Amino acid sequence: MQTMQALAERISRISVSSTMKVAADADKLRREGKDVVDFGAGEPDFPTPQNIKQAAIDAINQNFTKYTNTGGTEELKQAICDSHAKNYGTAYNTKECIVTVGGKHAIFGLTQALLDPGDECIIPVPYWVTYKDVVNFAGGKCVFVDTDENQGFDLKASMVERAITPKTKMIILNSPSNPSGAVFDRAELNKIIAVAKDRGIWVITDECYDRFLYDGEPYSLATPALKDTVIVAGSLSKTYAMTGWRIGFVLGPAAVVAGIGKLQSHSTSNPTSIAQKAAVEALRGPQESVGVMLAEYKKRRDYVIARLKAMPGVTVQVPQGAFYAYPNVSAAYKNGIANSLQFSEKLLAEALVAVVPGEAFGTNEHVRISYATSMKELERGLDRLQHFIAARV
Ligand code: PLP
């Protein structure tokens, strides 16, 4: 009789993404006919713009449905380089660009290509769930740097400098941040990059939310002079409401891009050919939809923050970008609730509101609320949340 073999050790180093788990739990309740309000999903509620969808339909009709180069078509890589140059004044060529299966796979490829076992990676807290797991999967060591919510979760260069050791190989920055919505002070970020350059440390800038900044102009930490230090991990998912199309990218030194290309050649192969055509249209076509979405998110942010601030015991920072609020709800940790996971589970079970527990992002006092959902849903869900909290505080 055959016995079940244990899974490989590397699988035990990672856990299921909590954001995916919340989505699955909420979905299960919905299938049971429950009226769930979902604040868990980190994805735009807007449809993908029509011109982008049409480009995909055209691609199918023109039989653009076969393998492409592993790292994406020249056409799309050029469109990515051109768009980044136009928005941020960078100067990448297509050998310094690889198209990935979403921004998540850009981060995965970077960590697998650059980290050896024991290498340290500095990650500011709160962090996007995936960073921790992909660093662990590579055998690297996460070094977490706490930020202070009373300072708007801002990251100071001194905090990062204190965490640097001879083993530091990488720093991951994500501004605007998921989950806090914080936009880090640019002068501080530049100081961090200067130290990293000096010490030969890679800085990964996760620009997933780069265009969703509520005040001031979007910017990139990458510049032509910093090509050997700063690497961009980008995504079209949020910017163009294209989460399901799975198109992301890396912009960085040609050798790093080639390393990720090797990995991709034995794992995903090329991102979907049809989605690549759609992505070219997203980047080269009209950009108005991005501004429309941003204006709507700003309205929703103002509403959500005003509502949260009015709830007893709840404190919250005003997000400066992305589309998440990250309130501190720890005042309600009583009567069978001792942490953010239990808070989220009870909130879903009793009030049918799905949020993501802060422990997924490295803090236990908070929950993440995505406001990439309609005003009507926000109203309904926040009414329920208020009731749930008021009964405990
Ligand atoms: N980076 C951050 C900070 C994110 O929040 C996400 C998605 O939630 C991603 C990267 C990856 O997005 P995708 O794989 O859909 O491009």
Side-chain angles (χ1 to χ4, degrees), residues 98-115 130 134-135 137-138 170 204 231-233 249-250 255-264 267-268:
I98 182 163
V99 187
T100 56
V101 181
K104 189 175 270 185
H105 213 253
I107 307 274
F108 183 80
L110 280 166
T111 47
Q112 306 314 304
L114 294 176
L115 294 176
T130 292
V134 292
V135 168
F137 193 71
M170 179 185 283
I204 310 299
I231 303 179
V232 176
F249 58 88
V250 170
V256 174
V257 161
I260 297 171
K262 267 206 262 184
L263 184 63
Q264 252 176 227
S267 50
T268 57

PDB file of all heavy atoms in Angstrom, residues 98-115 130 134-135 137-138 170 204 231-233 249-250 255-264 267-268:
ATOM      1  N   ILE A  98      10.801  42.732 -18.736  1.00  0.00           N
ATOM      2  CA  ILE A  98      10.169  41.430 -18.950  1.00  0.00           C
ATOM      3  C   ILE A  98       8.706  41.521 -18.529  1.00  0.00           C
ATOM      4  O   ILE A  98       8.386  42.172 -17.524  1.00  0.00           O
ATOM      5  CB  ILE A  98      10.906  40.286 -18.209  1.00  0.00           C
ATOM      6  CG1 ILE A  98      10.241  38.927 -18.512  1.00  0.00           C
ATOM      7  CG2 ILE A  98      10.970  40.500 -16.701  1.00  0.00           C
ATOM      8  CD1 ILE A  98      11.121  37.730 -18.183  1.00  0.00           C
ATOM      9  N   VAL A  99       7.856  40.923 -19.345  1.00  0.00           N
ATOM     10  CA  VAL A  99       6.425  40.888 -19.023  1.00  0.00           C
ATOM     11  C   VAL A  99       6.178  39.636 -18.183  1.00  0.00           C
ATOM     12  O   VAL A  99       6.691  38.557 -18.518  1.00  0.00           O
ATOM     13  CB  VAL A  99       5.557  40.853 -20.300  1.00  0.00           C
ATOM     14  CG1 VAL A  99       4.076  40.987 -19.927  1.00  0.00           C
ATOM     15  CG2 VAL A  99       5.970  41.953 -21.271  1.00  0.00           C
ATOM     16  N   THR A 100       5.426  39.796 -17.105  1.00  0.00           N
ATOM     17  CA  THR A 100       5.194  38.684 -16.180  1.00  0.00           C
ATOM     18  C   THR A 100       3.688  38.423 -16.053  1.00  0.00           C
ATOM     19  O   THR A 100       2.874  39.251 -16.485  1.00  0.00           O
ATOM     20  CB  THR A 100       5.764  39.023 -14.780  1.00  0.00           C
ATOM     21  OG1 THR A 100       5.158  40.246 -14.338  1.00  0.00           O
ATOM     22  CG2 THR A 100       7.271  39.200 -14.814  1.00  0.00           C
ATOM     23  N   VAL A 101       3.360  37.286 -15.445  1.00  0.00           N
ATOM     24  CA  VAL A 101       1.949  36.944 -15.271  1.00  0.00           C
ATOM     25  C   VAL A 101       1.424  37.694 -14.035  1.00  0.00           C
ATOM     26  O   VAL A 101       1.274  37.139 -12.954  1.00  0.00           O
ATOM     27  CB  VAL A 101       1.771  35.414 -15.143  1.00  0.00           C
ATOM     28  CG1 VAL A 101       0.291  35.052 -14.990  1.00  0.00           C
ATOM     29  CG2 VAL A 101       2.333  34.728 -16.386  1.00  0.00           C
ATOM     30  N   GLY A 102       1.208  38.981 -14.213  1.00  0.00           N
ATOM     31  CA  GLY A 102       0.775  39.841 -13.108  1.00  0.00           C
ATOM     32  C   GLY A 102       1.959  40.375 -12.316  1.00  0.00           C
ATOM     33  O   GLY A 102       3.089  39.860 -12.411  1.00  0.00           O
ATOM     34  N   GLY A 103       1.677  41.420 -11.526  1.00  0.00           N
ATOM     35  CA  GLY A 103       2.716  42.018 -10.687  1.00  0.00           C
ATOM     36  C   GLY A 103       3.196  41.051  -9.628  1.00  0.00           C
ATOM     37  O   GLY A 103       4.353  41.092  -9.189  1.00  0.00           O
ATOM     38  N   LYS A 104       2.317  40.151  -9.224  1.00  0.00           N
ATOM     39  CA  LYS A 104       2.705  39.182  -8.201  1.00  0.00           C
ATOM     40  C   LYS A 104       3.852  38.320  -8.706  1.00  0.00           C
ATOM     41  O   LYS A 104       4.811  38.042  -7.997  1.00  0.00           O
ATOM     42  CB  LYS A 104       1.491  38.313  -7.853  1.00  0.00           C
ATOM     43  CG  LYS A 104       1.703  37.414  -6.671  1.00  0.00           C
ATOM     44  CD  LYS A 104       0.426  36.678  -6.297  1.00  0.00           C
ATOM     45  CE  LYS A 104      -0.401  37.439  -5.299  1.00  0.00           C
ATOM     46  NZ  LYS A 104      -1.584  36.718  -4.828  1.00  0.00           N
ATOM     47  N   HIS A 105       3.757  37.921  -9.957  1.00  0.00           N
ATOM     48  CA  HIS A 105       4.817  37.073 -10.491  1.00  0.00           C
ATOM     49  C   HIS A 105       6.098  37.866 -10.771  1.00  0.00           C
ATOM     50  O   HIS A 105       7.193  37.299 -10.823  1.00  0.00           O
ATOM     51  CB  HIS A 105       4.341  36.335 -11.743  1.00  0.00           C
ATOM     52  CG  HIS A 105       4.957  34.979 -11.865  1.00  0.00           C
ATOM     53  ND1 HIS A 105       5.932  34.687 -12.778  1.00  0.00           N
ATOM     54  CD2 HIS A 105       4.773  33.856 -11.138  1.00  0.00           C
ATOM     55  CE1 HIS A 105       6.310  33.430 -12.609  1.00  0.00           C
ATOM     56  NE2 HIS A 105       5.629  32.908 -11.633  1.00  0.00           N
ATOM     57  N   ALA A 106       5.958  39.177 -10.916  1.00  0.00           N
ATOM     58  CA  ALA A 106       7.156  40.024 -11.034  1.00  0.00           C
ATOM     59  C   ALA A 106       7.933  39.967  -9.714  1.00  0.00           C
ATOM     60  O   ALA A 106       9.158  39.793  -9.687  1.00  0.00           O
ATOM     61  CB  ALA A 106       6.756  41.459 -11.367  1.00  0.00           C
ATOM     62  N   ILE A 107       7.207  40.079  -8.599  1.00  0.00           N
ATOM     63  CA  ILE A 107       7.843  40.033  -7.270  1.00  0.00           C
ATOM     64  C   ILE A 107       8.391  38.626  -7.016  1.00  0.00           C
ATOM     65  O   ILE A 107       9.484  38.463  -6.468  1.00  0.00           O
ATOM     66  CB  ILE A 107       6.819  40.387  -6.165  1.00  0.00           C
ATOM     67  CG1 ILE A 107       6.127  41.718  -6.452  1.00  0.00           C
ATOM     68  CG2 ILE A 107       7.463  40.363  -4.785  1.00  0.00           C
ATOM     69  CD1 ILE A 107       6.823  42.932  -5.989  1.00  0.00           C
ATOM     70  N   PHE A 108       7.627  37.638  -7.415  1.00  0.00           N
ATOM     71  CA  PHE A 108       8.087  36.253  -7.237  1.00  0.00           C
ATOM     72  C   PHE A 108       9.393  36.045  -8.007  1.00  0.00           C
ATOM     73  O   PHE A 108      10.386  35.558  -7.457  1.00  0.00           O
ATOM     74  CB  PHE A 108       7.006  35.271  -7.732  1.00  0.00           C
ATOM     75  CG  PHE A 108       7.368  33.826  -7.527  1.00  0.00           C
ATOM     76  CD1 PHE A 108       7.208  33.239  -6.290  1.00  0.00           C
ATOM     77  CD2 PHE A 108       7.877  33.058  -8.572  1.00  0.00           C
ATOM     78  CE1 PHE A 108       7.557  31.901  -6.082  1.00  0.00           C
ATOM     79  CE2 PHE A 108       8.223  31.727  -8.372  1.00  0.00           C
ATOM     80  CZ  PHE A 108       8.055  31.146  -7.130  1.00  0.00           C
ATOM     81  N   GLY A 109       9.404  36.446  -9.270  1.00  0.00           N
ATOM     82  CA  GLY A 109      10.597  36.260 -10.099  1.00  0.00           C
ATOM     83  C   GLY A 109      11.804  36.987  -9.522  1.00  0.00           C
ATOM     84  O   GLY A 109      12.917  36.451  -9.474  1.00  0.00           O
ATOM     85  N   LEU A 110      11.575  38.206  -9.052  1.00  0.00           N
ATOM     86  CA  LEU A 110      12.684  38.993  -8.500  1.00  0.00           C
ATOM     87  C   LEU A 110      13.275  38.339  -7.259  1.00  0.00           C
ATOM     88  O   LEU A 110      14.497  38.255  -7.102  1.00  0.00           O
ATOM     89  CB  LEU A 110      12.201  40.410  -8.161  1.00  0.00           C
ATOM     90  CG  LEU A 110      12.103  41.356  -9.357  1.00  0.00           C
ATOM     91  CD1 LEU A 110      11.310  42.601  -9.011  1.00  0.00           C
ATOM     92  CD2 LEU A 110      13.522  41.734  -9.838  1.00  0.00           C
ATOM     93  N   THR A 111      12.408  37.899  -6.360  1.00  0.00           N
ATOM     94  CA  THR A 111      12.929  37.309  -5.125  1.00  0.00           C
ATOM     95  C   THR A 111      13.650  35.987  -5.423  1.00  0.00           C
ATOM     96  O   THR A 111      14.703  35.713  -4.848  1.00  0.00           O
ATOM     97  CB  THR A 111      11.812  37.100  -4.084  1.00  0.00           C
ATOM     98  OG1 THR A 111      10.690  36.471  -4.719  1.00  0.00           O
ATOM     99  CG2 THR A 111      11.369  38.401  -3.470  1.00  0.00           C
ATOM    100  N   GLN A 112      13.103  35.192  -6.358  1.00  0.00           N
ATOM    101  CA  GLN A 112      13.739  33.898  -6.659  1.00  0.00           C
ATOM    102  C   GLN A 112      15.054  34.116  -7.413  1.00  0.00           C
ATOM    103  O   GLN A 112      16.008  33.362  -7.249  1.00  0.00           O
ATOM    104  CB  GLN A 112      12.813  32.976  -7.475  1.00  0.00           C
ATOM    105  CG  GLN A 112      11.443  32.753  -6.867  1.00  0.00           C
ATOM    106  CD  GLN A 112      11.459  32.433  -5.383  1.00  0.00           C
ATOM    107  OE1 GLN A 112      12.111  31.489  -4.953  1.00  0.00           O
ATOM    108  NE2 GLN A 112      10.742  33.220  -4.592  1.00  0.00           N
ATOM    109  N   ALA A 113      15.088  35.142  -8.231  1.00  0.00           N
ATOM    110  CA  ALA A 113      16.295  35.370  -9.043  1.00  0.00           C
ATOM    111  C   ALA A 113      17.415  36.041  -8.253  1.00  0.00           C
ATOM    112  O   ALA A 113      18.592  35.899  -8.598  1.00  0.00           O
ATOM    113  CB  ALA A 113      15.947  36.216 -10.272  1.00  0.00           C
ATOM    114  N   LEU A 114      17.062  36.756  -7.187  1.00  0.00           N
ATOM    115  CA  LEU A 114      18.086  37.579  -6.521  1.00  0.00           C
ATOM    116  C   LEU A 114      18.486  37.118  -5.121  1.00  0.00           C
ATOM    117  O   LEU A 114      19.545  37.510  -4.631  1.00  0.00           O
ATOM    118  CB  LEU A 114      17.612  39.041  -6.438  1.00  0.00           C
ATOM    119  CG  LEU A 114      17.465  39.759  -7.781  1.00  0.00           C
ATOM    120  CD1 LEU A 114      16.899  41.157  -7.578  1.00  0.00           C
ATOM    121  CD2 LEU A 114      18.828  39.850  -8.494  1.00  0.00           C
ATOM    122  N   LEU A 115      17.630  36.332  -4.462  1.00  0.00           N
ATOM    123  CA  LEU A 115      17.939  35.974  -3.067  1.00  0.00           C
ATOM    124  C   LEU A 115      18.519  34.571  -2.950  1.00  0.00           C
ATOM    125  O   LEU A 115      17.941  33.606  -3.477  1.00  0.00           O
ATOM    126  CB  LEU A 115      16.678  36.069  -2.201  1.00  0.00           C
ATOM    127  CG  LEU A 115      16.072  37.457  -2.011  1.00  0.00           C
ATOM    128  CD1 LEU A 115      14.774  37.360  -1.214  1.00  0.00           C
ATOM    129  CD2 LEU A 115      17.051  38.398  -1.318  1.00  0.00           C
ATOM    130  N   THR A 130       2.205  39.028   0.204  1.00  0.00           N
ATOM    131  CA  THR A 130       3.040  38.139  -0.623  1.00  0.00           C
ATOM    132  C   THR A 130       4.545  38.299  -0.388  1.00  0.00           C
ATOM    133  O   THR A 130       5.303  37.339  -0.553  1.00  0.00           O
ATOM    134  CB  THR A 130       2.670  38.369  -2.105  1.00  0.00           C
ATOM    135  OG1 THR A 130       1.344  37.869  -2.290  1.00  0.00           O
ATOM    136  CG2 THR A 130       3.597  37.667  -3.060  1.00  0.00           C
ATOM    137  N   VAL A 134       7.175  35.033  -0.453  1.00  0.00           N
ATOM    138  CA  VAL A 134       8.095  34.763  -1.576  1.00  0.00           C
ATOM    139  C   VAL A 134       9.555  34.875  -1.141  1.00  0.00           C
ATOM    140  O   VAL A 134      10.419  34.166  -1.666  1.00  0.00           O
ATOM    141  CB  VAL A 134       7.794  35.630  -2.820  1.00  0.00           C
ATOM    142  CG1 VAL A 134       6.462  35.239  -3.441  1.00  0.00           C
ATOM    143  CG2 VAL A 134       7.839  37.115  -2.532  1.00  0.00           C
ATOM    144  N   VAL A 135       9.809  35.730  -0.160  1.00  0.00           N
ATOM    145  CA  VAL A 135      11.178  35.790   0.392  1.00  0.00           C
ATOM    146  C   VAL A 135      11.477  34.470   1.100  1.00  0.00           C
ATOM    147  O   VAL A 135      12.534  33.854   0.895  1.00  0.00           O
ATOM    148  CB  VAL A 135      11.348  36.995   1.354  1.00  0.00           C
ATOM    149  CG1 VAL A 135      12.659  36.894   2.144  1.00  0.00           C
ATOM    150  CG2 VAL A 135      11.295  38.308   0.581  1.00  0.00           C
ATOM    151  N   PHE A 137      10.110  31.600   0.554  1.00  0.00           N
ATOM    152  CA  PHE A 137      10.177  30.534  -0.452  1.00  0.00           C
ATOM    153  C   PHE A 137      11.570  30.475  -1.088  1.00  0.00           C
ATOM    154  O   PHE A 137      12.085  29.405  -1.393  1.00  0.00           O
ATOM    155  CB  PHE A 137       9.109  30.768  -1.525  1.00  0.00           C
ATOM    156  CG  PHE A 137       8.890  29.595  -2.425  1.00  0.00           C
ATOM    157  CD1 PHE A 137       8.274  28.448  -1.956  1.00  0.00           C
ATOM    158  CD2 PHE A 137       9.309  29.625  -3.746  1.00  0.00           C
ATOM    159  CE1 PHE A 137       8.069  27.355  -2.792  1.00  0.00           C
ATOM    160  CE2 PHE A 137       9.115  28.534  -4.583  1.00  0.00           C
ATOM    161  CZ  PHE A 137       8.490  27.394  -4.103  1.00  0.00           C
ATOM    162  N   ALA A 138      12.172  31.654  -1.260  1.00  0.00           N
ATOM    163  CA  ALA A 138      13.524  31.712  -1.851  1.00  0.00           C
ATOM    164  C   ALA A 138      14.591  31.286  -0.842  1.00  0.00           C
ATOM    165  O   ALA A 138      15.761  31.158  -1.198  1.00  0.00           O
ATOM    166  CB  ALA A 138      13.814  33.124  -2.355  1.00  0.00           C
ATOM    167  N   MET A 170      18.329  42.986  -0.170  1.00  0.00           N
ATOM    168  CA  MET A 170      17.179  43.591  -0.861  1.00  0.00           C
ATOM    169  C   MET A 170      16.321  44.376   0.117  1.00  0.00           C
ATOM    170  O   MET A 170      16.209  44.016   1.293  1.00  0.00           O
ATOM    171  CB  MET A 170      16.362  42.443  -1.481  1.00  0.00           C
ATOM    172  CG  MET A 170      15.118  42.824  -2.212  1.00  0.00           C
ATOM    173  SD  MET A 170      14.199  41.347  -2.766  1.00  0.00           S
ATOM    174  CE  MET A 170      15.130  40.836  -4.170  1.00  0.00           C
ATOM    175  N   ILE A 204      13.702  47.126  -4.467  1.00  0.00           N
ATOM    176  CA  ILE A 204      12.576  46.795  -5.340  1.00  0.00           C
ATOM    177  C   ILE A 204      11.475  47.798  -5.060  1.00  0.00           C
ATOM    178  O   ILE A 204      11.047  47.943  -3.912  1.00  0.00           O
ATOM    179  CB  ILE A 204      12.019  45.369  -5.044  1.00  0.00           C
ATOM    180  CG1 ILE A 204      13.132  44.322  -5.021  1.00  0.00           C
ATOM    181  CG2 ILE A 204      10.904  45.011  -6.024  1.00  0.00           C
ATOM    182  CD1 ILE A 204      13.903  44.169  -6.295  1.00  0.00           C
ATOM    183  N   ILE A 231      14.960  48.509  -8.881  1.00  0.00           N
ATOM    184  CA  ILE A 231      14.266  47.664  -9.863  1.00  0.00           C
ATOM    185  C   ILE A 231      12.765  47.869  -9.704  1.00  0.00           C
ATOM    186  O   ILE A 231      12.244  47.853  -8.585  1.00  0.00           O
ATOM    187  CB  ILE A 231      14.594  46.165  -9.659  1.00  0.00           C
ATOM    188  CG1 ILE A 231      16.109  45.942  -9.738  1.00  0.00           C
ATOM    189  CG2 ILE A 231      13.862  45.313 -10.680  1.00  0.00           C
ATOM    190  CD1 ILE A 231      16.525  44.486  -9.527  1.00  0.00           C
ATOM    191  N   VAL A 232      12.087  48.079 -10.825  1.00  0.00           N
ATOM    192  CA  VAL A 232      10.648  48.323 -10.802  1.00  0.00           C
ATOM    193  C   VAL A 232       9.880  47.014 -10.973  1.00  0.00           C
ATOM    194  O   VAL A 232      10.160  46.243 -11.885  1.00  0.00           O
ATOM    195  CB  VAL A 232      10.237  49.282 -11.949  1.00  0.00           C
ATOM    196  CG1 VAL A 232       8.708  49.457 -11.985  1.00  0.00           C
ATOM    197  CG2 VAL A 232      10.937  50.628 -11.815  1.00  0.00           C
ATOM    198  N   ALA A 233       8.922  46.778 -10.066  1.00  0.00           N
ATOM    199  CA  ALA A 233       7.938  45.707 -10.268  1.00  0.00           C
ATOM    200  C   ALA A 233       6.614  46.403 -10.525  1.00  0.00           C
ATOM    201  O   ALA A 233       6.123  47.150  -9.676  1.00  0.00           O
ATOM    202  CB  ALA A 233       7.843  44.828  -9.023  1.00  0.00           C
ATOM    203  N   PHE A 249       5.077  43.454 -14.923  1.00  0.00           N
ATOM    204  CA  PHE A 249       6.382  43.576 -15.582  1.00  0.00           C
ATOM    205  C   PHE A 249       7.484  43.910 -14.582  1.00  0.00           C
ATOM    206  O   PHE A 249       7.210  44.348 -13.458  1.00  0.00           O
ATOM    207  CB  PHE A 249       6.345  44.645 -16.691  1.00  0.00           C
ATOM    208  CG  PHE A 249       5.941  46.024 -16.211  1.00  0.00           C
ATOM    209  CD1 PHE A 249       6.865  46.933 -15.724  1.00  0.00           C
ATOM    210  CD2 PHE A 249       4.594  46.407 -16.239  1.00  0.00           C
ATOM    211  CE1 PHE A 249       6.487  48.194 -15.297  1.00  0.00           C
ATOM    212  CE2 PHE A 249       4.200  47.672 -15.800  1.00  0.00           C
ATOM    213  CZ  PHE A 249       5.147  48.560 -15.331  1.00  0.00           C
ATOM    214  N   VAL A 250       8.706  43.671 -15.038  1.00  0.00           N
ATOM    215  CA  VAL A 250       9.891  44.105 -14.290  1.00  0.00           C
ATOM    216  C   VAL A 250      10.696  45.005 -15.207  1.00  0.00           C
ATOM    217  O   VAL A 250      10.857  44.713 -16.399  1.00  0.00           O
ATOM    218  CB  VAL A 250      10.759  42.888 -13.874  1.00  0.00           C
ATOM    219  CG1 VAL A 250      12.107  43.355 -13.315  1.00  0.00           C
ATOM    220  CG2 VAL A 250      10.031  42.031 -12.841  1.00  0.00           C
ATOM    221  N   ALA A 255      20.725  41.731 -16.917  1.00  0.00           N
ATOM    222  CA  ALA A 255      21.100  40.426 -16.365  1.00  0.00           C
ATOM    223  C   ALA A 255      20.023  39.897 -15.414  1.00  0.00           C
ATOM    224  O   ALA A 255      19.750  38.695 -15.379  1.00  0.00           O
ATOM    225  CB  ALA A 255      22.436  40.537 -15.626  1.00  0.00           C
ATOM    226  N   VAL A 256      19.416  40.798 -14.661  1.00  0.00           N
ATOM    227  CA  VAL A 256      18.346  40.384 -13.738  1.00  0.00           C
ATOM    228  C   VAL A 256      17.128  39.944 -14.545  1.00  0.00           C
ATOM    229  O   VAL A 256      16.513  38.898 -14.276  1.00  0.00           O
ATOM    230  CB  VAL A 256      17.972  41.553 -12.780  1.00  0.00           C
ATOM    231  CG1 VAL A 256      16.773  41.181 -11.914  1.00  0.00           C
ATOM    232  CG2 VAL A 256      19.169  41.946 -11.924  1.00  0.00           C
ATOM    233  N   VAL A 257      16.813  40.728 -15.553  1.00  0.00           N
ATOM    234  CA  VAL A 257      15.674  40.401 -16.421  1.00  0.00           C
ATOM    235  C   VAL A 257      15.904  39.034 -17.090  1.00  0.00           C
ATOM    236  O   VAL A 257      14.988  38.202 -17.162  1.00  0.00           O
ATOM    237  CB  VAL A 257      15.484  41.535 -17.466  1.00  0.00           C
ATOM    238  CG1 VAL A 257      14.664  41.072 -18.660  1.00  0.00           C
ATOM    239  CG2 VAL A 257      14.821  42.740 -16.781  1.00  0.00           C
ATOM    240  N   ALA A 258      17.128  38.790 -17.523  1.00  0.00           N
ATOM    241  CA  ALA A 258      17.429  37.488 -18.162  1.00  0.00           C
ATOM    242  C   ALA A 258      17.280  36.354 -17.156  1.00  0.00           C
ATOM    243  O   ALA A 258      16.802  35.258 -17.496  1.00  0.00           O
ATOM    244  CB  ALA A 258      18.841  37.511 -18.741  1.00  0.00           C
ATOM    245  N   GLY A 259      17.668  36.594 -15.911  1.00  0.00           N
ATOM    246  CA  GLY A 259      17.532  35.571 -14.863  1.00  0.00           C
ATOM    247  C   GLY A 259      16.068  35.216 -14.630  1.00  0.00           C
ATOM    248  O   GLY A 259      15.700  34.038 -14.539  1.00  0.00           O
ATOM    249  N   ILE A 260      15.231  36.239 -14.566  1.00  0.00           N
ATOM    250  CA  ILE A 260      13.789  35.993 -14.382  1.00  0.00           C
ATOM    251  C   ILE A 260      13.237  35.275 -15.618  1.00  0.00           C
ATOM    252  O   ILE A 260      12.390  34.391 -15.525  1.00  0.00           O
ATOM    253  CB  ILE A 260      13.039  37.322 -14.122  1.00  0.00           C
ATOM    254  CG1 ILE A 260      13.533  37.947 -12.829  1.00  0.00           C
ATOM    255  CG2 ILE A 260      11.535  37.105 -14.062  1.00  0.00           C
ATOM    256  CD1 ILE A 260      13.013  39.352 -12.582  1.00  0.00           C
ATOM    257  N   GLY A 261      13.769  35.648 -16.773  1.00  0.00           N
ATOM    258  CA  GLY A 261      13.341  35.009 -18.028  1.00  0.00           C
ATOM    259  C   GLY A 261      13.612  33.512 -18.012  1.00  0.00           C
ATOM    260  O   GLY A 261      12.790  32.710 -18.464  1.00  0.00           O
ATOM    261  N   LYS A 262      14.775  33.136 -17.447  1.00  0.00           N
ATOM    262  CA  LYS A 262      15.092  31.694 -17.358  1.00  0.00           C
ATOM    263  C   LYS A 262      14.032  30.983 -16.529  1.00  0.00           C
ATOM    264  O   LYS A 262      13.523  29.934 -16.894  1.00  0.00           O
ATOM    265  CB  LYS A 262      16.457  31.518 -16.659  1.00  0.00           C
ATOM    266  CG  LYS A 262      17.622  31.446 -17.600  1.00  0.00           C
ATOM    267  CD  LYS A 262      18.761  30.666 -16.961  1.00  0.00           C
ATOM    268  CE  LYS A 262      19.779  31.599 -16.365  1.00  0.00           C
ATOM    269  NZ  LYS A 262      20.947  30.896 -15.807  1.00  0.00           N
ATOM    270  N   LEU A 263      13.724  31.588 -15.366  1.00  0.00           N
ATOM    271  CA  LEU A 263      12.728  30.986 -14.474  1.00  0.00           C
ATOM    272  C   LEU A 263      11.373  30.881 -15.176  1.00  0.00           C
ATOM    273  O   LEU A 263      10.701  29.848 -15.133  1.00  0.00           O
ATOM    274  CB  LEU A 263      12.617  31.865 -13.214  1.00  0.00           C
ATOM    275  CG  LEU A 263      11.708  31.412 -12.093  1.00  0.00           C
ATOM    276  CD1 LEU A 263      12.175  30.086 -11.500  1.00  0.00           C
ATOM    277  CD2 LEU A 263      11.668  32.475 -10.985  1.00  0.00           C
ATOM    278  N   GLN A 264      10.995  31.959 -15.841  1.00  0.00           N
ATOM    279  CA  GLN A 264       9.703  31.964 -16.539  1.00  0.00           C
ATOM    280  C   GLN A 264       9.660  30.920 -17.652  1.00  0.00           C
ATOM    281  O   GLN A 264       8.630  30.314 -17.924  1.00  0.00           O
ATOM    282  CB  GLN A 264       9.424  33.361 -17.119  1.00  0.00           C
ATOM    283  CG  GLN A 264       8.346  34.050 -16.349  1.00  0.00           C
ATOM    284  CD  GLN A 264       8.035  35.479 -16.762  1.00  0.00           C
ATOM    285  OE1 GLN A 264       7.939  36.310 -15.890  1.00  0.00           O
ATOM    286  NE2 GLN A 264       7.853  35.776 -18.023  1.00  0.00           N
ATOM    287  N   SER A 267       8.501  27.853 -16.134  1.00  0.00           N
ATOM    288  CA  SER A 267       7.339  27.869 -15.238  1.00  0.00           C
ATOM    289  C   SER A 267       6.101  28.348 -15.987  1.00  0.00           C
ATOM    290  O   SER A 267       5.339  27.548 -16.524  1.00  0.00           O
ATOM    291  CB  SER A 267       7.614  28.710 -13.991  1.00  0.00           C
ATOM    292  OG  SER A 267       8.127  29.979 -14.335  1.00  0.00           O
ATOM    293  N   THR A 268       5.931  29.651 -16.108  1.00  0.00           N
ATOM    294  CA  THR A 268       4.697  30.141 -16.747  1.00  0.00           C
ATOM    295  C   THR A 268       4.778  30.136 -18.268  1.00  0.00           C
ATOM    296  O   THR A 268       3.755  30.144 -18.943  1.00  0.00           O
ATOM    297  CB  THR A 268       4.421  31.598 -16.336  1.00  0.00           C
ATOM    298  OG1 THR A 268       5.559  32.393 -16.699  1.00  0.00           O
ATOM    299  CG2 THR A 268       4.172  31.704 -14.858  1.00  0.00           C
TER     300      THR A 268
END
